Amino acid sequence: MVNESAVVVFDDERAVANAGVMLPALLAQRLGLEQLIEECVDLGDRPGAANPGRKVMTMCSAMVLGADCIDDCDLLRSGQTGAVLGHRVAAPSTLGTFLRAFTFGHVRQLDRVLGLALERAWAAGAGPGDERLVIDVDSFVGEVHGYKKQGAGYGYTRKLGYHPLLATRADTGEVLHIRLRKGSANTSRGMLRFCEELIARVDRAGATGPKLLRTDSGFWAKKTFVRLDRAGWQFSIGIRMQPHVRALVDAIDEDAWVTLEDYPKTSVAQIAETTIGDFRMIIRRVRTLSQQGELLPSWEHYPFATNRTDDLQIVEAEHRQHAVVELAIRDLKDQALAHFPSGKYHANAAWTVIAALAHNLLRWTQKIALPDATTRTARTLRRRLLQVPGRLARSGRRTLLRMPARWPWRQDFLTALDLIRALPPPA
């Protein structure tokens, strides 16, 4: 029974609101992220230009705890929370001034930090090495409200917002590359340049095994096919049912269609293949059951182009798995990209890259420190490992971080802490 007469006071200077944030904070120290940001980001003599490393790491630390606006970063200044971070904490007003100082070139500097951080994390054990790397490219609408958001517009969802483009790693959910675009941007806008930067970034990070890039039909372009093929990448890219594509599909012999036995029982699906230009085209056609349990009379067709030579059913099944990109998008929207906090476009572009860096810190924490565990959502990781209340104390010249007794995921936390501490410090 709740004691209604209990006196509530906020006066414990030793309390740590989210003591588990020390895990990604310690990993960021081992990767040398603050110093890396100091070396790469230079805002010149613009207001708020000083100490970019401290400011970006403040936002990263708040974002891994679920912050979705600048004011949420103030939670790091409660009690002794700042003592477990390894960096000084900047005030929200300072962070706002800092973000508004960004231009397009400065955002590109921050994007370079994301690429270099990827190299360091993969070298520390999070990378695929010579194993196969599957990358999914997609876009989403980040909805905003109000009419003072520079660059926001109405896209294909008819909702006001921005239209970021991102590439994620299929097995871990890391964001390998991200680019904020105006809300009215076409889905495929900037895709070729994005792919060129992605190819170079992954190579620099040390991925030497086979690579597969998957996208939906919004990114269909022959130039993209040719560029990926020339780089030695495999691709699996959706194609829109334009008239010449439909003619190719209609020309397929009826006996060539193979029924998919593992498809959901609410539909009947069949696959077949032909060629489009120099590449292989695989088509899945689906008839869905109506509410009365009867098959609808017409087929819906989902073609995609690929340069893979594997078995038809394997290629088609792996292309369907492109949907895992939505899990990374869900995590981003559940954290910092629930909102775009500034009225300035480039401030929001910088916020987007920092959000990807914070998201990756969570992914790397699990990949490096709990490599055998099931990949969890960001919300689950926060609830189990980060949002643990604590209290700093000193005993026998040692600093103790006291956590709640009988915490269900105590062993996971201690295992992760030991493995991160075992990483070598930055050069």
Side-chain angles (χ1 to χ4, degrees):
M1 185 173 180
V2 177
N3 186 350
E4 298 181 3
S5 62
V7 177
V8 178
V9 291
F10 289 84
D11 64 351
D12 193 341
E13 291 292 342
R14 296 183 180 180
V16 181
N18 300 278
V21 74
M22 71 179 298
L23 291 178
L26 182 58
L27 179 59
Q29 276 188 296
R30 286 293 190 265
L31 298 179
L33 294 189
E34 183 174 358
Q35 183 60 33
L36 181 62
I37 295 163
E38 290 285 348
E39 293 171 358
C40 294
V41 179
D42 183 3
L43 303 184
D45 58 356
R46 303 171 71 87
N51 303 311
R54 179 194 308 173
K55 294 167 184 174
V56 171
M57 289 312 303
T58 296
M59 287 183 273
C60 275
S61 296
M63 287 172 176
V64 298
L65 293 173
D68 61 14
C69 64
I70 297 173
D71 282 347
D72 283 352
C73 297
D74 219 12
L75 63 87
L76 300 177
R77 301 204 294 173
S78 61
Q80 284 291 313
T81 304
V84 301
L85 294 176
H87 62 80
R88 294 182 63 183
V89 178
S93 57
T94 303
L95 298 176
T97 303
F98 173 68
L99 286 174
R100 289 189 293 273
F102 273 79
T103 64
F104 173 78
H106 297 130
V107 176
R108 296 293 286 164
Q109 293 175 3
L110 205 53
D111 184 61
R112 181 166 178 259
V113 171
L114 182 63
L116 292 173
L118 186 72
E119 294 177 28
R120 295 186 179 190
W122 283 12
D130 58 359
E131 296 179 359
R132 186 175 183 234
L133 176 64
V134 180
I135 298 174
D136 294 295
V137 174
D138 205 351
S139 64
F140 66 94
V141 173
E143 192 173 359
V144 299
H145 303 279
Y147 298 99
K148 295 184 178 180
K149 297 286 186 179
Q150 188 180 41
Y154 293 92
Y156 64 95
T157 63
R158 302 186 184 279
K159 293 180 179 179
L160 182 66
Y162 295 105
H163 194 184
L165 175 64
L166 79 165
T168 65
R169 182 176 164 188
D171 57 337
T172 64
E174 297 166 64
V175 176
L176 306 181
H177 196 11
I178 194 165
R179 177 76 43 82
L180 186 67
R181 302 180 299 181
K182 293 183 178 180
S184 58
N186 182 273
T187 300
S188 62
R189 181 178 178 183
M191 177 60 178
L192 182 60
R193 178 64 181 273
F194 188 84
C195 281
E196 290 175 342
E197 294 174 356
L198 177 65
I199 290 168
R201 175 168 296 183
V202 168
D203 286 345
R204 286 195 300 266
T208 58
K211 304 173 188 68
L212 169 64
L213 185 138
R214 304 182 298 204
T215 73
D216 58 29
S217 60
F219 300 94
W220 172 29
K222 184 178 179 180
K223 290 181 179 180
T224 303
F225 296 170
V226 172
R227 182 66 186 90
L228 292 169
D229 194 57
R230 191 171 74 241
W233 284 38
Q234 296 177 332
F235 63 82
S236 177
I237 299 178
I239 297 176
R240 292 184 292 275
M241 282 294 288
Q242 294 182 350
H244 71 287
V245 177
R246 184 171 294 279
L248 291 172
V249 173
D250 292 341
I252 298 175
D253 191 274
E254 194 64 27
D255 294 334
W257 293 94
V258 178
T259 300
L260 292 175
E261 302 297 339
D262 62 341
Y263 210 73
K265 301 305 180 184
T266 55
S267 305
V268 173
Q270 297 178 337
I271 57 175
E273 66 174 297
T274 181
T275 57
I276 181 168
D278 298 327
F279 300 106
R280 189 179 181 190
M281 184 169 74
I282 296 174
I283 308 98
R284 181 177 80 254
R285 65 179 188 179
V286 181
R287 287 177 71 182
T288 307
L289 290 172
S290 68
Q291 293 181 347
Q292 290 74 32
E294 298 177 348
L295 283 174
L296 297 178
S298 60
W299 293 96
E300 296 180 11
H301 293 84
Y302 303 95
F304 65 92
T306 182
N307 60 350
R308 298 183 63 184
T309 58
D310 302 284
D311 181 75
L312 170 64
Q313 296 202 27
I314 293 176
V315 176
E316 193 281 330
E318 289 192 347
H319 178 75
R320 265 186 283 149
Q321 293 169 5
H322 166 66
V324 297
V325 69
E326 298 297 338
L327 303 180
I329 293 173
R330 174 203 58 195
D331 277 354
L332 288 168
K333 287 187 171 183
D334 194 37
Q335 298 174 144
L337 296 189
H339 306 287
F340 294 85
S342 180
K344 302 291 186 180
Y345 176 79
H346 294 305
N348 288 327
W351 177 270
T352 301
V353 179
I354 297 169
L357 184 60
H359 170 84
N360 286 352
L361 271 177
L362 276 183
R363 297 293 107 203
W364 296 332
T365 298
Q366 176 159 353
K367 181 67 176 175
I368 293 172
L370 295 169
D372 299 325
T374 302
T375 301
R376 306 291 184 184
T377 64
R379 180 176 294 188
T380 300
L381 286 175
R382 287 197 299 270
R383 183 174 62 250
R384 294 185 178 186
L385 297 181
L386 304 191
Q387 295 173 336
V388 191
R391 193 169 189 271
L392 280 178
R394 288 191 63 82
S395 174
R397 297 183 180 180
R398 291 189 307 160
T399 299
L400 301 178
L401 179 57
R402 297 192 176 276
M403 306 286 218
R406 297 176 296 282
W407 187 257
W409 303 282
R410 170 178 58 96
Q411 192 55 52
D412 281 350
F413 186 94
L414 294 176
T415 300
L417 184 60
D418 288 342
L419 287 175
I420 293 175
R421 281 175 170 167
L423 294 174

